[in-house]
Amino acid sequence: MKFPIDKFQKLRTPFYYYDSELLRTTLNEIKKQIQKDPFVVHYALKANSNPEILRIIREAGIGADCVSGGEVEAALEAGIPASKIVFAGVGKTNWEIEVGLDNDIFCFNVESMPELEVINQLARERNKMAHIALRINPNVSAHTHHYITTGMNENKFGISLSDLDRVLDVTARQSNLKLIGIHFHIGSQINDMTAFQGLCLRVNEVRQYLLSRRITLEHINVGGGLGIDYEHPDAFPIADFKSYFDVFRRHLPLHDGQKLHFELGRSIVAQCGSLIARTLYVKEGSSRSFVILDAGFTELIRPALYQAYHKIENLSSELPPKEYDIVGPICESSDTFAKAYALNETKRGDLIALRSAGAYGEVMASQYNLRKLPKAYMD
Ligand SMILES: Cc1ncc(COP(=O)(O)O)c(C=O)c1O
């Protein structure tokens, strides 16, 4: 990626920088891949809800996948039509459900029996029919970091297969709920397509079982989870959407009139964003040297939270690389971006880019240590 370094020199660091052209190219690639199929993509706002990003996504005609009332409101404010909004989440509060009902969103992905009853009651008070999909925990391994697997029995998400029968009975008795679909999501940063293949097999089994109960559903939602290449953001700036959608084409043949929904987050926005920081100090020790940045886990928590790797580049130096531990200024040892990392020889004031930070970066920023939230710029 070519960074506008002259412009960066005038800005106060740390900040997020988004490349709108890469975002648009990514969205076009998705649209190209799905144009001949009854596939519907919803963007998972949890990955990044920056209003400029949402505007570009809305312009591309992509819908929204939300996990809170705040996200439903942000999607609506960005102009994404309510008819393209799905709302998941294991702990929806009454006001959040009301935001969805009052705006007639497309579908609630329901994760438990008590939630069914609450949505039904709130819909009844409004004299509305709430459209719902049951989020089923498919017990399929995503072969990814255990903090970001969601579709195993030990995870808190969704309705387990063994409870499905009972939940269907209860759903049928709710006067103000219309069951329109089933929903699944197995995890995030998945690059092994056999995991999605496993999901397809499970979806087929569930669909067969529903048919045996004479239930046919128009909408199947397989969640998100497609991974990106954190190690080579320049060589592979666009995720492998072709292989991903091919898996579903091949292994999940749709019945007449059926639509397949996807909730992609990371694969849409990760590569278009970088966190730009400045080097505060280089602390040369006898055993190791530290590059101390003005960004820490308050701006980008993924390395501290899930030992995630981000490629790091010194935008100001063309000197040969040296090995550094690259850390932030926060008073916690976990505030480390990388250990023994080969970075072009660095001095105070150098601009540093932490790449592939467009997803689960800015949205997870905090004000711990009373730090200021990072600004964001887009080109
Ligand atoms: C229900 C649901 N849908 C979609 C996503 C988006 O996943 P990703 O960013 O990996 O595409 C998530 C993320 O965890 C999720 O929990």
Side-chain angles (χ1 to χ4, degrees):
M1 183 176 291
K2 188 106 184 63
F3 291 102
I5 296 175
D6 288 347
K7 177 175 161 186
F8 286 0
Q9 294 294 5
K10 297 185 203 109
L11 299 172
R12 179 161 154 180
T13 49
F15 58 85
Y16 274 89
Y17 169 72
Y18 298 114
D19 176 347
S20 62
E21 198 182 310
L22 178 56
L23 177 57
R24 286 199 176 90
T25 312
T26 306
L27 292 164
N28 286 339
E29 173 65 15
I30 293 174
K31 283 163 62 179
K32 188 178 109 196
Q33 290 297 333
I34 64 172
Q35 63 189 350
K36 295 204 184 100
D37 297 279
F39 288 180
V40 186
V41 173
H42 305 263
Y43 166 64
L45 261 78
K46 67 165 76 67
N48 190 327
S49 48
N50 178 296
E52 286 294 293
I53 298 258
L54 295 186
R55 179 178 58 78
I56 292 173
I57 286 170
R58 187 253 302 152
E59 283 167 6
I62 305 269
D65 162 43
C66 303
V67 288
S68 71
E71 285 190 357
V72 174
E73 287 173 341
L76 291 167
E77 269 161 38
I80 296 175
S83 60
K84 291 185 179 175
I85 296 179
V86 295
F87 183 8
V90 64
K92 303 180 188 75
T93 64
N94 284 26
W95 80 262
E96 292 178 309
I97 295 168
E98 285 162 4
V99 169
L101 288 171
D102 292 340
N103 288 286
D104 299 315
I105 61 165
F106 171 62
C107 189
F108 290 88
N109 294 332
V110 177
E111 307 223 8
S112 68
M113 195 114 80
E115 186 193 331
L116 272 180
E117 291 167 343
V118 171
I119 297 180
N120 183 60
Q121 186 198 327
L122 294 171
R124 193 166 54 222
E125 286 166 14
R126 288 166 171 71
N127 215 2
K128 288 195 170 185
M129 285 301 279
H131 286 189
I132 63 153
L134 294 177
R135 174 167 181 178
I136 295 166
N137 184 328
N139 200 24
V140 169
S141 171
H143 314 300
T144 185
H145 192 280
H146 64 282
Y147 276 16
I148 48 178
T149 61
T150 55
M152 297 293 290
N153 277 346
E154 75 252 26
N155 299 127
K156 67 182 175 180
F157 303 99
I159 293 157
S160 70
L161 289 163
S162 52
D163 293 334
L164 184 56
D165 220 17
R166 230 158 29 100
V167 174
L168 286 168
D169 290 341
V170 173
T171 308
R173 288 201 294 273
Q174 309 299 313
S175 57
N176 292 65
L177 298 186
K178 180 166 186 219
L179 179 63
I180 63 164
I182 41 177
H183 173 238
F184 304 82
H185 173 75
I186 56 172
S188 201
Q189 184 50 17
I190 302 168
N191 284 314
D192 172 4
M193 295 297 144
T194 60
F196 293 118
Q197 203 173 317
L199 170 63
C200 290
L201 298 180
R202 193 48 57 81
V203 176
N204 281 320
E205 284 167 16
V206 172
R207 195 168 48 171
Q208 248 349 86
Y209 170 72
L210 292 171
L211 273 178
S212 76
R213 286 195 51 155
R214 295 176 190 287
I215 301 172
T216 47
L217 296 172
E218 190 182 339
H219 301 283
I220 299 177
N221 183 334
V222 287
L226 176 62
I228 60 133
D229 193 331
Y230 280 98
E231 309 219 345
H232 309 103
D234 291 318
F236 302 103
I238 299 192
D240 189 0
F241 294 110
K242 179 168 184 336
S243 304
Y244 173 70
F245 290 119
D246 271 351
V247 170
F248 294 94
R249 261 181 221 116
R250 242 179 256 142
H251 300 282
L252 190 48
L254 296 173
H255 298 165
D256 260 0
Q258 228 162 28
K259 289 201 176 70
L260 193 59
H261 297 252
F262 300 86
E263 300 171 342
L264 296 173
R266 185 191 311 269
S267 54
I268 296 182
V269 290
Q271 296 292 29
C272 77
S274 298
L275 174 63
I276 308 297
R278 209 174 272 282
T279 306
L280 291 176
Y281 305 103
V282 179
K283 189 159 92 171
E284 308 267 8
S286 49
S287 62
R288 54 182 61 205
S289 299
F290 294 91
V291 167
I292 302 169
L293 302 179
D294 61 2
F297 72 48
T298 40
E299 286 72 39
L300 181 62
I301 201 173
R302 297 188 66 259
L305 192 59
Y306 340 99
Q307 298 87 46
Y309 171 88
H310 285 266
K311 186 166 193 239
I312 305 174
E313 287 169 10
N314 186 333
L315 305 181
S316 310
S317 165
E318 290 182 355
L319 296 171
K322 280 183 66 175
E323 208 168 80
Y324 300 103
D325 283 7
I326 302 168
V327 302
I330 297 157
C331 303
E332 303 279 347
S333 295
S334 61
D335 188 29
T336 297
F337 289 120
K339 289 199 161 158
Y341 194 93
L343 192 67
N344 290 4
E345 188 172 341
T346 300
K347 61 177 188 325
R348 175 171 165 81
D350 282 359
L351 284 169
I352 306 293
L354 291 109
R355 304 288 308 276
S356 315
Y360 307 105
E362 189 187 350
V363 267
M364 286 196 182
S366 78
Q367 291 193 285
Y368 181 50
N369 284 189
L370 284 187
R371 286 166 61 80
K372 306 253 185 281
L373 287 173
K375 288 199 167 154
Y377 302 94
M378 183 175 264
D379 261 345

